[in-house]
Structures are given as C-alpha cells and as structure tokens.
C-alpha cells in the first residue's frame, strides 16, 4: 500500500472520530463548557491535568491565542509529556498509589475550582485518585477518557474503578483500546494513534462553549490574543492584570 494511501486512511479515521464526538458528545460538551463558565462567573479557577501524552491536550489549553487565560496547567516533574528520562518513568509514575493526593495537596486547587483530567485509559492510579481527591476537596471534575477501556480492560488501581466513575462530567473520546487506527499485513503492530487529535478537538469545543456561555451572561470571556498580531501584547497584559489572582502560569 502506498504511503499516500496510508496517510489518507489516517485522515479518514481521524475525521470519522471527530464526527462521532461532534454528534455523540454534543450534550456533554455543552455541559462541560457550561460548568467552566459557571466556575469563571463564580470566581473559581480552571485547571487541566494529563500525564504523558495525555498532557498534550492539557497543555494545548494553557496560555494560547484564542484560549481562556484562566486555564492553568496542573503539572508535576516526570508527568508532563515525555520530557523525563527515561521516558518510561512517566508511565510508571501514573501507577504510583498516593501520588495524586500529594500533587493536589501542594497545588493551588481549592473548593469551587474546576479540574479537567485527561487519561485515555482512565485505569491507572494517578488519574483515578486525582478525581476522587479533587471532588473531596469540593472541586468539579471533567474527565476526558475513552470509555471503551472500562469494558475491555481491568482497572490498574486499588479502588478497582476507572476515571469515568469519579467525574461530574465525562467526555468520551471514542478512541479504540490500544490507540492505533491503522493496520497492515506487513506490519506486526497497529499504528497511527489519533487520541491527541480527537481529545484536543473535544476540549477546544468545550472551551468555545465556555466562552459563548460567558458572553451570553454579559461577561467578557478572558480570552488571549496572539502576540504576533498588532495590539496582542497590550490586550493580553490587560487580561493578565485583570485576572491575575486566578492565573498561575504567569508567576
């Protein structure tokens, strides 16, 4: 099969998944966007967390043109992307019992805030315990996961549950177990993951909904502009100053 055909197949698979989440997750996207808008309107703060590659969609929400300035990354050494050495350490940390409580207890999170937790499988200790502990603190939790894992795999944490079991709202990315969209007879493993594309799109849809919900209430959404357009830096400086007590990535 030609390289061109494989590329087209991947695009088709990604487009198909995006259409599914657009249609099947419309209500949960609306609910998640409304929850974030409710949090902003009530003076709460917004946070996003993901470990390993699940951190990429979280980072995609933070300090970017067209995004809400109030979205903060909940980060910890060894868990943000694959910058840690060895890269396998990040995967191992996701399975450490009790780590989530330590991260939350040393974070700025407090009752009335909202936390987006991204975990494709939702089966490891870190995302499950983080959702549990955050809700116990009075934080609203939006989980972004593939619900298929809950029926096709076993939990890998002491509670015997999945991330989806401990969220106020669950966004299902529809990604198949294994996160690989293509196969070939001549290739021994499936390949071409689409979880980052789909999860990022899901969350940007949520953020768009949140901005619209705030505007409908007469509240100007605290959006950032590109620093590469005229007036962008001045705009962003105003937003950062106005909401400085809720923005942690500028300190």
């Amino acid at each position: 099969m030609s390289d061109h055909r494989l590329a087209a197949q991947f695009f088709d698979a990604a487009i198909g998944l995006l259409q599914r989440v657009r249609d099947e997750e419309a209500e949960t996207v609306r609910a998640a966007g409304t929850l974030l808008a409710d949090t902003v309107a009530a003076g709460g703060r917004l946070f996003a967390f993901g470990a390993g590659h699940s951190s990429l969609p979280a980072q995609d929400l933070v300090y970017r043109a067209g995004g809400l300035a109030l979205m903060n990354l909940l980060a910890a050494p060894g868990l943000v992307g694959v910058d840690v050495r060895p890269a396998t350490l990040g995967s191992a940390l996701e399975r450490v019992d009790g780590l989530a409580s330590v991260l939350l207890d040393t974070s700025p999170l407090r009752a009335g805030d909202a936390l987006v937790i991204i975990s494709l499988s939702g089966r490891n200790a870190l995302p499950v315990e983080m959702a549990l502990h955050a809700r116990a603190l009075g934080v609203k939790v939006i989980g972004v996961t593939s619900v298929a894992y809950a029926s096709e795999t076993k939990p890998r944490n002491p509670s015997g549950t999945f991330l989806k079991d401990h969220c106020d709202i669950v966004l299902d990315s529809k990604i198949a177990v294994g996160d690989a969209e293509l196969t070939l007879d001549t290739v021994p493993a499936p390949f071409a993951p689409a979880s980052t594309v789909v999860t990022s799109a899901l969350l940007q849809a949520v953020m768009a909904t949140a901005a619209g919900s705030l505007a409908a209430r007469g509240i100007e959404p605290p959006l950032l502009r590109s620093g590469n357009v005229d007036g962008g830096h001045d705009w962003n400086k105003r937003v950062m100053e106005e909401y400085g007590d809720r923005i942690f990535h500028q300190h």
Side-chain angles (χ1 to χ4, degrees):
M1 182 178 292
S2 70
D3 293 343
H4 173 74
R5 183 57 189 153
L6 285 173
Q9 282 192 352
F10 176 76
F11 281 121
D12 288 344
I15 290 168
L17 285 163
L18 289 170
Q19 289 174 329
R20 281 192 66 194
V21 296
R22 178 196 65 192
D23 298 339
E24 298 174 19
E25 296 300 300
E27 284 305 308
T28 51
V29 166
R30 181 195 60 77
T34 302
L35 187 155
L36 294 184
D38 290 344
T39 303
V40 172
R45 295 89 58 79
L46 310 180
F47 296 85
F49 173 83
H53 287 97
S54 287
S55 178
L56 300 180
Q59 293 178 58
D60 191 49
L61 300 176
V62 178
Y63 186 58
R64 66 166 307 144
L68 289 176
L70 272 61
M71 183 58 75
N72 301 280
L73 185 67
L74 184 61
L79 294 172
V80 182
V82 289
D83 57 334
V84 65
R85 298 289 185 274
T88 50
L89 175 61
S91 299
L93 289 174
E94 286 188 71
R95 299 192 290 271
V96 174
D97 299 337
L99 179 58
S101 296
V102 173
L103 293 179
L104 288 177
D105 289 345
T106 56
S107 79
L109 271 160
R110 66 187 184 196
D113 292 345
L115 171 63
V116 177
I117 301 177
I118 305 161
S119 173
L120 181 62
S121 73
R123 67 195 294 237
N124 291 312
L126 181 56
V128 172
E129 292 176 3
M130 182 169 287
L132 272 165
H133 193 55
R135 291 181 88 190
L137 293 173
V139 173
K140 295 292 187 181
V141 174
I142 298 170
V144 190
T145 187
S146 170
V147 173
Y149 277 83
S151 58
E152 299 181 36
T153 69
K154 295 180 179 179
R156 196 155 55 190
N157 64 86
S159 73
T161 59
F162 288 83
L163 171 61
K164 74 174 186 64
D165 300 317
H166 307 288
C167 300
D168 295 281
I169 298 170
V170 176
L171 295 167
D172 183 5
S173 64
K174 318 293 181 182
I175 300 296
V177 172
D179 191 18
E181 294 300 319
L182 303 182
T183 58
L184 273 180
D185 292 341
T186 54
V187 177
F191 55 101
S195 60
T196 305
V197 172
V198 176
T199 301
S200 290
L202 254 178
L203 285 171
Q204 289 299 345
V206 169
M207 301 299 279
T209 303
S213 180
L214 286 168
R217 308 172 198 209
I219 301 172
E220 179 186 323
L223 296 168
L224 295 174
R225 291 181 179 268
S226 172
N228 296 310
V229 300
D230 292 342
H233 287 299
D234 290 338
W235 173 281
N236 293 342
K237 181 180 179 182
R238 175 184 65 82
V239 172
M240 293 287 198
E241 289 176 350
E242 183 176 350
Y243 290 93
D245 60 334
R246 292 194 264 173
I247 300 173
F248 296 94
H249 51 74
Q250 65 174 336
H251 299 306

